[in-house]
Amino acid sequence: MIKVGVLGATGNVGQRFMQMLENHPIFELEVLGASSRSAGKKYADACYWYQTEPIPEEYANKMVQTTDPTDKAYEDVDIVFSALPSDLAKKLEPEFAKEGKLVFSNASAMRMENDVPLMIPEVNYDHFEMLDIQRENRDYDGAIITNPNCSTICAVITLKPIMDKFGIDLVNITTMQAISGAGYNGVPSMAIIDNLVPYIGSEEEKMQTESLKLLGVIDKENSKFTDANFKIGVSCNRVSVIDGHTESIFVKTTEEATPEEIKKVMDKFDPLKEYNLPTYAKPIVIREEMDRPQPRLDRDAGNGMSISVGRIREDPVFGIKYTALEHNTIRGAAGASVLNAELYVKKYL
């Protein structure tokens, strides 16, 4: 068993990490790290539990530690999962990497660094190759591996098989994003009940830049990433749904493709099946019903790790359009980091 820690363990995404690491066959959760106001308390006393399932019994009475990488609590830990706010992540994640820890981060702070892999395992696990360059550049004994923004993951998993088979020239996405993506205190109830908010700060920019990095390649000669060569436009909206990001995606392919052909390549897309990773599920589940996917009905597909896709059809402007749905705090957050770590362990440790 590999001993791991969670940074930001008391927050919403941190709690999802706790759930996903309970009884994990590879990882043993050793350290629950949180702010100074929580450190020294039992976990059940330190956090307000937001999830519908109870706190895992094995963690409820576990003592919360600091997020200081030199704390002896982390001495035997090999991997830390970061659910830290971006400002703290920018400071602390490099410190953990210098201390020899592998940091699998859900935070946005390091995603667009030239030598930090931004990973979706089904899409670009070859980007792990950048870690040797990162260690050399930064004098790390460990390393930092990030996963993308939740809404980016939903879109890019569905775009990958299309790009590989037909090429992509243009993408336009409209999101309808759940309130859990903003955290428990992120959207006031008076702002979202009976309403839709057509703005999520920096979300559109993240989706545009992250998607191109994810679908790009490593420029080994210059030791950096080269973005994918297509244009992408995004419009992001917050809607009154607790969990589950829904996206309307429009794609102009380089080679002409029919809806049936798109459906076929998505359905066959299963690139990590051979690795038997504990958290892995078939990446894309095709829904044939005219009114699916829907958040309440489909967000838990594949234990929350599958993207549900439906309404694949022709579009008179772009050529192809479809609807995709993701569980944003599982596939789009904690589950993405855990899956990254599982694949790294399987391939490189």
Side-chain angles (χ1 to χ4, degrees):
M1 296 287 283
I2 296 173
K3 292 185 177 181
V4 305
V6 174
L7 308 177
T10 58
N12 192 25
V13 174
Q15 292 174 19
R16 287 293 189 190
F17 273 119
M18 310 282 284
Q19 290 179 313
M20 302 201 75
L21 293 169
E22 184 183 19
N23 300 318
H24 196 283
I26 299 174
F27 302 132
E28 180 182 353
L29 182 52
E30 180 82 0
V31 182
L32 314 181
S35 66
S36 57
R37 66 177 177 272
S38 298
K41 298 178 181 178
K42 291 181 180 180
Y43 183 73
D45 296 331
C47 76
Y48 182 90
W49 188 254
Y50 304 124
Q51 315 309 322
T52 54
E53 304 84 2
I55 298 176
E57 285 187 20
E58 60 183 300
Y59 307 138
N61 293 317
K62 199 170 181 66
M63 200 67 71
V64 177
Q65 307 295 329
T66 70
T67 53
D68 180 353
T70 63
D71 192 316
K72 285 188 177 181
Y74 294 96
E75 192 170 24
D76 296 327
V77 167
D78 296 307
I79 289 172
V80 291
F81 295 102
S82 174
L84 293 169
S86 184
D87 56 339
L88 288 176
K90 194 171 186 67
K91 175 182 182 293
L92 291 174
E93 289 176 1
E95 292 179 3
F96 274 93
K98 286 176 183 176
E99 289 293 324
K101 312 305 180 188
L102 287 168
V103 180
F104 287 88
S105 175
N106 183 67
S108 63
M110 305 294 290
R111 287 175 187 162
M112 299 309 295
E113 296 287 320
N114 278 335
D115 57 358
V116 175
L118 179 65
M119 300 286 304
I120 300 175
E122 300 94 327
V123 172
N124 64 332
Y125 66 72
D126 58 310
H127 288 196
F128 277 134
E129 296 172 15
M130 185 60 76
L131 292 182
D132 288 339
I133 294 168
Q134 182 191 128
R135 292 181 177 114
E136 184 177 347
N137 287 349
R138 298 171 182 261
D139 196 27
Y140 288 171
D141 290 325
I144 299 172
I145 302 97
T146 65
N147 57 261
N149 182 44
C150 47
S151 50
T152 303
I153 292 174
C154 181
V156 168
I157 285 177
T158 67
L159 292 172
K160 175 63 173 174
I162 297 174
M163 188 179 81
D164 286 350
K165 180 68 174 179
F166 303 106
I168 292 175
D169 290 338
L170 295 172
V171 175
N172 189 266
I173 303 170
T174 297
T175 73
M176 292 151 279
Q177 295 180 225
I179 55 177
S180 58
Y184 188 79
N185 296 316
V187 183
S189 58
M190 287 288 286
I192 198 66
I193 293 173
D194 189 33
N195 203 19
L196 176 153
V197 181
Y199 173 74
I200 304 173
S202 75
E203 194 84 355
E204 294 171 0
E205 293 81 3
K206 287 178 185 176
M207 287 193 71
Q208 288 164 182
T209 57
E210 291 176 10
S211 296
L212 296 177
K213 182 176 180 180
L214 285 157
L215 292 167
V217 297
I218 295 176
D219 178 356
K220 293 184 178 179
E221 184 176 344
N222 296 299
S223 301
K224 65 177 185 178
F225 297 102
T226 298
D227 286 350
N229 186 28
F230 62 85
K231 292 183 178 180
I232 178 170
V234 182
S235 180
C236 293
N237 306 274
R238 188 74 72 190
V239 297
S240 188
V241 170
I242 294 175
D243 288 315
H245 287 357
T246 305
E247 301 181 5
S248 293
I249 301 177
F250 299 74
V251 184
K252 182 177 181 181
T253 55
T254 306
E255 296 181 12
E256 189 173 339
T258 67
E260 283 302 315
E261 289 172 325
I262 294 293
K263 185 185 300 183
K264 185 176 180 180
V265 297
M266 283 188 179
D267 192 45
K268 285 187 173 181
F269 185 62
D270 201 5
L272 301 184
K273 184 178 181 180
E274 64 183 279
Y275 292 103
N276 296 314
L277 304 175
T279 302
Y280 184 67
K282 192 172 184 291
I284 300 173
V285 174
I286 301 296
R287 304 299 316 196
E288 299 287 358
E289 302 91 333
M290 288 298 296
D291 60 350
R292 301 280 283 275
Q294 297 179 25
R296 194 172 62 192
L297 301 178
D298 299 307
R299 60 192 168 208
D300 293 321
N303 293 319
M305 289 296 290
S306 296
I307 308 298
S308 295
V309 175
R311 305 205 68 216
I312 303 172
R313 59 209 192 278
E314 291 184 358
D315 180 75
V317 178
F318 283 81
I320 293 292
K321 57 186 173 184
Y322 56 89
T323 302
L325 172 76
E326 161 206 72
H327 196 304
N328 53 295
T329 61
I330 299 179
R331 172 76 256 200
S337 289
V338 173
L339 189 60
N340 279 343
E342 289 173 355
L343 182 61
Y344 185 86
V345 167
K346 195 81 170 182
K347 286 182 68 66
Y348 299 103
L349 293 185

